[in-house]
Amino acid sequence: MDNSERRNVGSGSPLKPRIGFSRAVRKGAHVAVAGTAPIGDDGTTVGVGDVYAQTVRCLDIAEAALKEAGAEPSDVVRTRIMLTDVTTWREAARAHGERFSAVRPVTTFVGVSRFIDPQWLVEIEVDAILTRGPAAP
């Protein structure tokens, strides 16, 4: 994939066409993963009331999007963790640390007033830069 090519990774969301978004976008060596909520395969919220479980689910979804775009967790350079209660940051940090302790991307924790679904306690954004040759489309 050269720098002029773009690959959109779908989210499976029925809102995708209405909002006009992708789960992730790869442009050359850069991959950006959109704010990722703790939604299960059945469309319901995973880990209701549990910041740690929701963070794990968000990271699982983001990691799958990275993989589909040709990236790996070791390519991650930035994460943004948004929490409706920033005092719960330690639980989100525990899940993040389990995933990224060896990678150590720059990370920001942000308190927000709420998300689209009030059961969501956390959303995560991820940015990656590939440092190896291009992946096959």
Side-chain angles (χ1 to χ4, degrees):
M1 169 175 281
D2 68 32
N3 285 338
S4 65
E5 293 183 64
R6 175 187 177 107
R7 181 185 326 167
N8 292 348
V9 174
S11 68
S13 169
L15 298 175
K16 183 174 69 169
R18 185 171 7 159
I19 296 173
F21 78 99
S22 297
R23 168 65 39 227
V25 173
R26 177 174 174 183
K27 178 81 169 157
H30 184 240
V31 179
V33 179
T36 302
I39 303 170
D41 293 336
D42 63 357
T44 64
T45 300
V46 169
V48 174
D50 184 337
V51 171
Y52 173 81
Q54 288 194 8
T55 303
V56 168
R57 178 61 182 161
C58 293
L59 291 169
D60 288 345
I61 295 167
E63 190 172 318
L66 286 169
K67 184 176 182 178
E68 190 173 336
E72 301 173 4
S74 61
D75 296 314
V76 173
V77 296
R78 176 184 301 274
T79 58
R80 292 171 201 87
I81 302 171
M82 297 161 281
L83 297 157
T84 57
D85 179 357
V86 78
T87 66
T88 63
W89 72 270
R90 286 177 181 83
E91 288 303 299
R94 180 166 59 104
H96 186 274
E98 290 169 359
R99 198 70 58 107
F100 291 112
S101 64
V103 178
R104 297 179 55 191
V106 297
T107 302
T108 303
F109 289 85
V110 179
V112 299
S113 62
R114 66 168 291 180
F115 295 112
I116 292 170
D117 184 324
Q119 290 185 322
W120 302 346
L121 305 174
V122 61
E123 280 196 26
I124 297 176
E125 294 179 341
V126 177
D127 292 306
I129 299 175
L130 284 72
T131 56
R132 62 197 169 286

